[in-house]
């Protein structure tokens, strides 16, 4: 039972972080690949930090019997500051959900040649069905989808890297970037942004966190899994770096080079990656508002899903460009406070 819950928690953790930006290779290119082989150091740091953050938050959830993101914020930051941060982070969760919807629409239109609205509606329907079953639906979806993502990304990353005899077209890389600094600060910024949604989701996983072993195991397995995935995205983008300049979906371009049905297959994997993040963000948002609305799980989920559809019309690229950097810097502040408070609590 404990091992099963560890896998469920790790899958939910990974599924929350693996979104359109991650699985497309665009985030990896921006935060790690451009620094050459030093980007691998950044991936190692990121994996360690993901494992550390996951374990600490899950331990706190277990010890204090925390059942929601709101409880976690109030325990960590106090009622007043916690309420303010909650408002900001719930905006992040809603934005993250809408970004994934917009990404699904863009993927259907640009890669599958189908109407954009079909991509938005298909993801909305799957999300709604998952929301109806609450945490059970979240766990089931992620334990089914995350292994597929692992196998697909590992396979493509390995094939491309071995086909090119480990020759890196960007082995040296840049030393400093105006946007993200050096490889270390870039890694910290990347973890801070992606941890916010993950922390929000983990705060609602008390039914799965039966003991300390489950908490620590789920956090470590999830963090190391994310590091492995990032590595298998980093190496092929290092190998083909010069050919991927200006490409919006680097991994799709790499899959296209492999020929056959690889492009279509990776398109499906990319959609599934968007789905896991959309479901995680939407799940926490719905859990946070359903008691206040007083209309039950199903009606809250339906209202949320319908209301988000118009917001997704702003477009994938514009939403990512505007929101990701802003919430990255907000994330540093929030994550640091949570970690310091959690460490202080453990010493008491």
């Amino acid at each position: 039972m404990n091992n099963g819950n560890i896998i469920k928690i790790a899958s939910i953790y990974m599924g929350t972080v693996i979104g359109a930006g991650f699985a497309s290779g665009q985030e990896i290119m921006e935060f790690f690949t451009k620094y050459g082989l030093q980007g691998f150091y950044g991936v190692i740091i990121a994996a360690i930090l993901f494992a550390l953050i996951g374990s600490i938050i899950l331990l706190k959830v277990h010890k204090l019997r925390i059942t929601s993101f709101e409880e976690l914020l109030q325990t960590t930051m106090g009622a007043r500051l916690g309420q303010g941060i909650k408002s900001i982070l719930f905006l992040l969760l809603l934005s993250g959900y809408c970004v994934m919807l917009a990404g699904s629409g863009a993927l259907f239109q640009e890669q599958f040649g189908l109407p954009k609205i079909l991509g938005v509606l298909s993801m909305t329907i799957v999300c709604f069905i998952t929301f109806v079953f609450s945490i059970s639906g979240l766990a089931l979806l992620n334990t089914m989808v995350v292994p597929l993502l692992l196998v697909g990304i590992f396979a493509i990353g390995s094939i491309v890297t071995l086909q090119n005899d480990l020759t890196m077209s960007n082995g040296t890389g840049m030393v400093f970037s105006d946007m993200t600094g050096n490889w270390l600060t870039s890694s910290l910024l990347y973890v801070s942004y992606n941890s916010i949604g993950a922390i929000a989701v983990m705060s609602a996983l008390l039914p799965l966190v039966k003991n300390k072993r489950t908490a620590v195991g789920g956090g470590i397995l999830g963090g190391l899994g994310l590091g492995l995935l990032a590595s298998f995205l980093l190496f092929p983008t290092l190998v083909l770096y010069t050919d991927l300049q200006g490409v919006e979906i680097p991994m799709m371009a790499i899959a296209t080079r492999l020929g056959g049905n690889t492009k279509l297959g990776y398109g499906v994997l990319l959609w599934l990656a968007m789905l896991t993040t959309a479901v995680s963000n939407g799940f926490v948002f719905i859990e946070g508002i359903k008691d206040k609305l007083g209309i039950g799980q199903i009606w809250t989920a339906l209202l949320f899903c319908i209301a988000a559809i118009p917001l997704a019309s702003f477009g994938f690229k514009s939403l990512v460009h505007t929101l990701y950097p802003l919430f990255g810097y907000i994330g540093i502040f929030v994550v640091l406070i949570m970690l310091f408070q959690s460490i202080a609590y453990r010493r008491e």
Side-chain angles (χ1 to χ4, degrees), residues 83-209:
Q83 187 62 37
I85 295 296
K86 174 195 169 184
S87 300
I88 295 173
L89 296 187
F90 266 57
L91 176 60
L92 165 63
L93 294 169
L94 176 60
S95 302
Y97 178 82
C98 292
V99 166
M100 295 305 110
L101 286 189
S104 177
L107 184 68
F108 269 56
Q109 183 181 55
E110 296 172 12
Q111 302 299 328
F112 301 150
L114 298 171
K116 183 181 294 186
I117 188 62
L118 186 60
V120 174
L121 292 178
S122 63
M123 182 165 288
T124 299
I125 292 170
V126 176
C127 286
F128 173 71
I129 295 172
T130 306
F131 296 150
V132 167
F133 294 96
S134 191
I135 191 169
S136 298
L138 180 69
L140 178 61
L141 179 72
N142 279 281
T143 51
M144 291 173 58
V145 170
V146 169
L148 293 176
L149 295 172
L150 285 167
V151 171
I153 291 174
F154 285 177
I156 292 178
S158 300
I159 291 170
V160 170
T161 304
L162 293 175
Q163 279 184 347
N164 290 272
D165 299 322
L166 300 177
T167 303
M168 309 291 176
S169 64
N170 186 37
T172 305
M174 62 175 63
V175 177
F176 184 84
S177 166
D178 291 337
M179 291 296 294
T180 56
N182 56 30
W183 64 266
L184 178 59
T185 57
S186 183
S187 178
L188 296 176
L189 183 61
Y190 177 76
V191 171
S192 71
Y193 170 76
N194 282 288
S195 292
I196 295 302
I199 288 173
V201 172
M202 286 188 286
S203 65
L205 298 185
L206 182 61
L208 298 177
V209 185

Side-chain angles (χ1 to χ4, degrees), residues 71-85:
E71 281 186 37
L72 178 64
L73 288 174
Q74 289 183 352
T75 302
T76 305
M77 302 180 179
R80 183 174 298 180
L81 180 58
Q83 187 62 37
I85 295 296

